[in-house]
Amino acid sequence: MRRILPFARQNRNIKTILAVSVIFSGFFTAPAHAIERVKVEVPVHEYKLDNGLKVLVKQDKRAPIAVVQLWYKVGSSYEHNGSTGLSHVVEHMMFKGTQKYPTGEFNRIIAENGAEDNAFTGQDYTAYYQVIAADRLEVAFELESDRVRNLTLPPAEFKKEIEVVKEERRWRTEDKPTALTREQFEAVAFLNSPYKNPVIGWMADLDAMQVEDLRAWYERWYAPNNATLVVVGDVDPDNVHELAKKYYGPLKPTETIPPPKPQTEVEQKGLRTLKVKAPAELPYVLMGYKVPGMVNAKEKWEPYALEVLAGILDGGNSSRLSKELIRGKEIASSASAWYSGFGRLPDLFSLSGMPTKGEKLETVKVALLEQVEKLKNEPVTAAELARVKAQVIAGEIYERDSQQNQANVLGSLETVGLGYKLADEYVDNILAITPEQIQAVAKKYLIEDTLTIAELDPQPIDPNKPKNAPSFVR
Amino acid sequence: MLKKIVLAQLALWLVVFASFAQAAPKIEHWTTANGLRVYYVPAPELPMLDLRLVFDAGSARDGAKPGLAMLTNSMLDKGATGLSEDQLAEQFEAIGAIFSSSTSKDMATLGLRTITLEQEQKAALDLWLKVIAKPDFPQKDFERVQKLTLVGLQAEKQDPASLGGKAFYQALYGDHPYGQPENGTEETIQALKVDDLKAFYQQHYVAKNGLLAIVGAVDRTQAEALAEQVAGVLPVGEAAAPLPEVKALTAAKTVKIPYPSAQAHILVGQIGNKRGDDDYFTLYMGNQVLGGSGFTSRLMKAVRNDRGLSYSVYSYFGPLAQLGVFEIGLQTKLEQADEALKVVQDVLGKFQQEGPSVEELEASKKDITGGFPLRTANNSQIVDYVGVIGFYHLPLDYLDTFTGKVNALTREQITEAFARRVQPDKMVTVIVGGDEK
């Protein structure tokens, strides 16, 4: 389904996606890590069209298919109060026709060619993709290039589609207590950073949205010089370049695309807490610290240290949260930690947990905070660090199994402004992290003054039960 | 004359090779000395290996103890050969190996993914075999898993989609094992004992009741050695007896579950088909047009595109060892639930009577045959398919012949199959959301 896939909020996604390509090239000597590195490099071919469109191509001949993605530099973090959800609604309307291919034609032609097709909107980007038999690549180019500039945005279609988006919002957020908690948590954790905007938009903004708003948004951001085309699969790079010139070449660039306003988050001046009441069975706690990302880190290694730190807490079944909170003390039924340094703007280091039967939410919250303190007070052990690194080394290979993930890495890095070449350095930078560096970022950034804590306060689901008494906080 | 025969043979070979080259992975199959079926697809391009053991030990085998199969499966890595769960997890993860396990109605699955460097692969396999062959079922961990399962059951109560799904299966299958919840009920989970799990494990996790799928950068000789090693730790045992047959519904049934949600979650359906069913391809193709093909299906057009009633609407046949489900699902805001349900019923009724149009059928054929290479493009997908083909004893050339079978179907065959197997007047309807009426 046309969907939102907020990469920026899925640390594990980015972390696991960031895999470098490989062929056997011998072992590294004297491995400082638990397992041997198998390093392989498959080149990325880079082209730029005269109209500013960037084209990235990576060969993967394992199957006769191609993944074709068009990434735009626009997402919910480009939006403003009162107009949240615009990028995502444009995504929906992208399937509602151009002059050449009226409503329904896009999907019909895609199906006729047996292609898989969809799109996703995140905080920092919107991407449209096809997965298609490699010998039908041209179909994807023809359809996608046509809607870069030629959307018709029919008002009658918009009227129906905005209702679909509202249903999507009800389904995704309003009826899911933990999703609802997360949405409010982000809105409180950020005062003025646009990462406070829900990707799908606030319901009131959807109610008020007009097709003219979409037209203005479309005209402003959807241009070849604001996009990157990524192709991964059984393709010839120069052939892809020729096809790109043929279909995308004639598109006019937009003269000036004013960069988004900085909307730099104001400094947090102390702990923030909130409660979310919703019909639910289980309480839930979600907390987040303000941390730097790749874009603003003064020390280049810090985001990598935070990545590894997240892995120490929650990288697999042997990590600390599983071992100590779910097993060990047996206080949590679930516990997680994540961080992504790959956003356009600085983001959060988050922790969350759900108590197990008979345990209080407070116990889980305290235990999560204790885990943070422990990271500050003691260096992680060599064995723990080796395990996290072993997973990164193996993940580098496993992630190559998915052609789509390979394309996601290139497209997302390029679109947030970090550049796709960062993927080549990722594993090396992770492997260079020391216990002292992990301790240092814990001490520097995981501090109460920049912390936000949200608690889900479950309200009865059974309509015959009385609602919880209102609680007042002084 | 001779020349003609040779040419004819050559032509035949070309056809065979052409279809090979087009996409489908070639599956090699053999049985180990002690009766474990093995299915192997070489994938030399990446230095990684996926192993998957599948046993006929899904929740349909729970008997009077719903949740038994799932808990048994999830207890294997909680301790084996004296190693604790912590130690097992540490050892797998120290070499970048991924252990996985899951249970469905029919299957209990144990998976291993590892890189194929000699040392790591050997260590990963040794550890995996310990978990498979010598689980300890520690009492303390069992109690924790029991407790977590209870939390899981509680979590379902805050998820209208889960509530609906459970009610749907119960209404469709009644007393048949497929009607029981895979994760049990509070009562049955609490009543389980470690000895129940041990007995279930000993009976079902045996060579003759399972299969091994191997996909990755190992050659045939290595694959055979791997298979013997895996089989070597399993007792021969017996294959499980066939499951009882499923009875068709005799009357329509509606289940309403009040819930304080913004949307109503609606499920409509019936008993569907089996893996290897004579009507498999006709029902599959028909359903593509009805609600299986995403944005171009009739349900999507009527419910979402034309009326904006729902974000998602779908229909599918979920074939199992015995008759699985035929299910239509959607979510819509409470006030529109009746309207959306009516649209679904109209679309289904019309389709059941008239079948697909010639154009729709042609479009679906193009969709399925054109998209075929996408389905086996990576090792994860291949190992999934191989597991299913092996478990349900589908022909080894199943993937090769798939598009040919699809292309041979006629409109009349599909219409006839839908008329015979779908009864719009005997549907189960589940609606979660809204007040009690």
Side-chain angles (χ1 to χ4, degrees):
Chain A
M1 301 307 97
R2 216 130 290 157
R3 62 178 192 234
I4 296 180
L5 207 150
F7 282 118
R9 295 181 193 175
Q10 294 177 6
N11 172 49
R12 208 138 297 106
N13 221 330
I14 282 283
K15 191 156 65 182
T16 49
I17 292 175
L18 272 173
V20 200
S21 338
V22 209
I23 308 166
F24 281 101
S25 76
F27 307 149
F28 279 41
T29 48
H33 325 301
I35 66 172
E36 309 262 20
R37 181 98 182 268
V38 190
K39 201 170 178 183
V40 185
E41 311 223 330
V42 176
V44 174
H45 300 261
E46 180 184 348
Y47 308 91
K48 194 153 187 182
L49 304 192
D50 293 340
N51 60 12
L53 180 79
K54 190 170 260 190
V55 184
L56 303 176
V57 188
K58 193 169 161 187
Q59 262 189 340
D60 181 338
K61 296 193 159 219
R62 293 182 305 142
I65 68 156
V67 176
V68 189
Q69 301 180 332
L70 186 67
W71 293 73
Y72 290 102
K73 283 179 207 168
V74 66
S76 62
S77 72
Y78 289 67
E79 296 162 5
H80 295 96
N81 255 353
S83 304
T84 62
L86 272 174
S87 313
H88 173 248
V89 178
V90 168
E91 181 206 312
H92 276 244
M93 291 304 293
M94 277 278 191
F95 295 84
K96 296 299 172 184
T98 60
Q99 298 289 0
K100 199 168 167 193
Y101 300 106
T103 305
E105 275 299 278
F106 192 101
N107 289 326
R108 190 190 64 75
I109 297 169
I110 284 294
E112 188 171 60
N113 286 281
E116 227 177 74
D117 162 77
N118 216 320
F120 50 87
T121 303
Q123 293 172 307
D124 300 325
Y125 37 66
T126 313
Y128 297 82
Y129 70 83
Q130 292 81 37
V131 188
I132 195 163
D135 58 5
R136 302 180 189 195
L137 195 60
E138 201 161 349
V139 175
F141 275 63
E142 179 163 5
L143 287 173
E144 194 65 69
S145 62
D146 177 52
R147 60 181 182 175
V148 177
R149 288 309 218 174
N150 303 318
L151 268 200
T152 45
L153 295 166
E157 291 296 330
F158 169 72
K159 219 180 139 198
K160 291 182 289 185
E161 200 60 24
I162 194 74
E163 296 305 321
V164 170
V165 175
K166 290 180 199 170
E167 291 299 342
E168 183 180 355
R169 188 186 150 79
R170 289 183 189 104
W171 174 73
R172 223 177 253 293
T173 309
E174 316 225 324
D175 282 347
K176 293 203 168 108
T178 53
L180 200 63
T181 306
R182 169 164 296 278
E183 186 176 83
Q184 305 223 342
F185 162 77
E186 284 174 352
V188 169
F190 292 111
L191 280 190
N192 64 322
S193 163
Y195 277 180
K196 71 187 290 164
N197 300 339
V199 175
I200 198 161
W202 298 110
M203 191 63 104
D205 294 352
L206 298 177
D207 282 336
M209 202 174 281
Q210 304 288 322
V211 75
E212 291 74 29
D213 302 328
L214 294 178
R215 195 176 304 282
W217 197 249
Y218 178 66
E219 282 168 6
R220 174 161 183 191
W221 298 111
Y222 297 74
N225 48 329
N226 197 41
T228 303
L229 181 69
V230 180
V231 181
V232 174
D234 188 5
V235 295
D236 170 58
D238 288 330
N239 182 37
V240 170
H241 184 209
E242 289 308 311
L243 279 181
K245 279 197 276 192
K246 178 173 167 192
Y247 288 100
Y248 286 89
L251 301 174
K252 265 201 177 151
T254 296
E255 290 255 320
T256 48
I257 300 178
K261 300 274 189 197
Q263 300 195 70
T264 308
E265 176 69 5
V266 295
E267 195 186 339
Q268 187 169 338
K269 298 288 191 184
L271 176 68
R272 288 176 198 160
T273 61
L274 69 146
K275 256 187 195 173
V276 179
K277 291 185 170 186
E281 283 283 327
L282 301 162
Y284 171 65
V285 62
L286 175 58
M287 44 181 99
Y289 297 91
K290 298 265 165 64
V291 290
M294 300 283 173
V295 280
N296 70 323
K298 292 201 179 73
E299 299 289 346
K300 206 184 143 202
W301 55 267
E302 286 184 349
Y304 294 96
L306 285 163
E307 287 254 320
V308 177
L309 192 159
I312 296 285
L313 287 176
D314 185 21
N317 201 24
S318 67
S319 61
R320 288 188 183 181
L321 296 186
S322 296
K323 202 169 152 182
E324 295 176 29
L325 269 56
I326 298 176
R327 301 195 295 277
K329 293 183 188 164
E330 296 193 13
I331 52 172
S333 60
S334 72
S336 73
W338 42 261
Y339 163 74
S340 170
F342 296 94
R344 185 175 70 85
L345 303 168
D347 209 336
L348 301 171
F349 184 100
S350 306
L351 294 153
S352 72
M354 219 174 238
T356 195
K357 224 176 162 49
E359 292 293 340
K360 290 202 164 63
L361 187 65
E362 185 64 20
T363 315
V364 175
K365 188 174 96 181
V366 169
L368 287 169
L369 292 169
E370 275 171 10
Q371 287 295 329
V372 171
E373 288 312 304
K374 196 173 156 195
L375 284 164
K376 294 179 193 172
N377 298 331
E378 302 163 25
V380 302
T381 65
E384 286 179 298
L385 191 57
R387 276 200 301 277
V388 171
K389 291 179 178 179
Q391 290 173 60
V392 172
I393 291 171
E396 184 178 29
I397 296 162
Y398 301 151
E399 287 305 314
R400 275 212 62 206
D401 192 37
S402 162
Q403 293 86 350
Q404 251 160 313
N405 274 356
Q406 295 180 63
N408 287 346
V409 172
L410 300 177
S412 59
L413 288 177
E414 193 60 30
T415 305
V416 300
L418 291 166
Y420 72 91
K421 286 181 179 149
L422 190 74
D424 291 337
E425 308 162 12
Y426 177 79
V427 175
D428 287 333
N429 287 341
I430 289 284
L431 296 183
I433 293 300
T434 66
E436 293 70 32
Q437 288 175 318
I438 297 169
Q439 199 173 0
V441 289
K443 279 184 178 166
K444 187 169 171 190
Y445 296 112
L446 307 188
I447 54 171
E448 193 187 87
D449 284 352
T450 66
L451 174 63
T452 303
I453 303 178
E455 291 179 24
L456 169 64
D457 179 7
Q459 303 298 302
I461 288 168
D462 184 342
N464 299 319
K465 277 192 193 161
K467 290 221 186 316
N468 293 355
S471 57
F472 298 94
V473 180
R474 275 171 219 282
Chain B
M1 192 65 201
L2 187 67
K3 197 176 164 191
K4 225 175 173 180
I5 289 171
V6 171
L7 274 179
Q9 278 184 348
L10 193 66
L12 195 69
W13 274 109
L14 283 175
V15 171
V16 172
F17 273 112
S19 64
F20 264 26
Q22 205 219 337
K26 186 178 172 299
I27 303 169
E28 295 178 35
H29 168 56
W30 65 91
T31 302
T32 65
N34 70 343
L36 180 69
R37 291 181 288 133
V38 184
Y39 298 82
Y40 158 67
V41 175
E45 295 88 349
L46 292 174
M48 58 184 275
L49 169 70
D50 282 288
L51 297 179
R52 180 168 295 188
L53 253 179
V54 187
F55 294 106
D56 189 339
S59 65
R61 303 292 173 185
D62 277 346
K65 295 175 177 169
L68 174 60
M70 198 191 84
L71 256 64
T72 303
N73 184 263
S74 67
M75 275 299 293
L76 300 186
D77 70 333
K78 303 294 179 276
T81 62
L83 295 171
S84 68
E85 181 175 12
D86 283 355
Q87 289 168 317
L88 289 169
E90 280 164 12
Q91 291 186 21
F92 274 122
E93 288 167 10
I95 49 173
I98 299 173
F99 169 83
S100 59
S101 62
S102 67
T103 322
S104 62
K105 297 253 179 239
D106 284 340
M107 307 180 189
T109 302
L110 299 168
L112 176 69
R113 173 167 273 196
T114 174
I115 53 175
T116 47
L117 289 178
E118 196 183 336
Q119 272 188 328
E120 281 80 357
Q121 183 183 318
K122 185 181 178 308
L125 184 71
D126 288 347
L127 203 57
W128 196 55
L129 293 180
K130 284 179 187 170
V131 167
I132 292 161
K134 299 249 169 9
D136 295 331
F137 295 99
Q139 178 65 31
K140 188 172 179 302
D141 295 274
F142 169 69
E143 284 165 21
R144 178 171 46 83
V145 169
Q146 216 172 9
K147 216 157 74 171
L148 290 178
T149 309
L150 292 173
V151 178
L153 287 169
Q154 209 183 341
E156 285 182 350
K157 292 187 199 160
Q158 66 183 38
D159 178 19
S162 302
L163 288 176
K166 254 183 166 165
F168 183 67
Y169 271 83
Q170 275 156 9
L172 276 186
Y173 287 104
D175 293 337
H176 189 275
Y178 286 164
Q180 296 183 348
E182 286 155 55
N183 53 354
T185 65
E186 287 189 16
E187 296 72 42
T188 64
I189 294 298
Q190 266 159 352
L192 284 176
K193 299 272 180 288
V194 163
D195 284 345
D196 298 325
L197 276 62
K198 284 183 181 165
F200 187 87
Y201 164 79
Q202 277 157 9
Q203 183 185 342
H204 292 93
Y205 286 65
V206 296
K208 284 200 168 165
N209 195 42
L211 69 99
L212 174 68
I214 304 174
V215 176
V218 290
D219 63 25
R220 167 79 187 226
T221 313
Q222 291 167 318
E224 284 179 15
L226 275 173
E228 286 302 332
Q229 253 188 294
V230 175
V233 304
L234 295 173
V236 178
E238 294 286 334
L243 292 169
E245 288 191 7
V246 176
K247 291 188 206 87
L249 295 168
T250 51
K253 200 188 287 183
T254 300
V255 181
K256 284 195 176 176
I257 303 174
Y259 197 91
S261 50
Q263 285 185 317
H265 291 246
I266 302 173
L267 292 173
V268 178
Q270 230 162 39
I271 299 297
N273 59 351
K274 289 183 201 181
R275 286 279 172 189
D277 198 298
D278 289 343
D279 289 325
Y280 178 82
F281 285 93
T282 45
L283 294 176
Y284 173 77
M285 276 303 282
N287 184 63
Q288 283 292 110
V289 176
L290 175 65
S293 61
F295 292 109
T296 51
S297 77
R298 282 200 192 180
L299 281 169
M300 189 68 103
K301 281 181 181 160
V303 176
R304 175 170 159 155
N305 299 355
D306 294 349
R307 295 177 181 82
L309 288 172
S310 184
Y311 172 61
S312 141
V313 56
Y314 62 85
S315 67
Y316 78 92
F317 284 91
L320 293 169
Q322 292 297 333
L323 298 171
V325 293
F326 166 58
E327 175 181 319
I328 301 174
L330 69 97
Q331 315 83 31
T332 190
K333 70 177 167 185
L334 296 176
E335 305 88 277
Q336 316 175 141
D338 292 343
E339 181 190 354
L341 184 57
K342 176 83 177 34
V343 175
V344 166
Q345 286 162 344
D346 289 349
V347 170
L348 174 65
K350 188 161 186 279
F351 188 79
Q352 194 264 352
Q353 283 182 359
E354 298 170 8
S357 71
V358 176
E359 296 74 28
E360 283 173 325
L361 181 60
E362 283 315 302
S364 270
K365 285 181 179 177
K366 282 186 189 166
D367 188 357
I368 290 166
T369 53
F372 207 76
L374 275 53
R375 302 181 191 193
T376 52
N378 55 50
N379 297 3
S380 301
Q381 293 169 322
I382 295 170
V383 79
D384 278 346
Y385 265 114
V386 174
V388 167
I389 287 169
F391 187 84
Y392 293 106
H393 299 269
L394 301 175
L396 289 186
D397 63 356
Y398 182 77
L399 294 171
D400 283 317
T401 57
F402 195 96
T403 54
K405 289 193 171 149
V406 160
N407 277 328
L409 291 173
T410 66
R411 205 189 142 265
E412 290 68 29
Q413 288 170 323
I414 293 168
T415 311
E416 188 275 328
F418 263 77
R420 188 160 38 78
R421 304 232 4 198
V422 176
Q423 281 85 45
D425 59 335
K426 296 192 184 81
M427 289 279 155
V428 161
T429 306
V430 173
I431 304 169
V432 185
D435 297 329
E436 209 137 12
K437 277 183 203 164

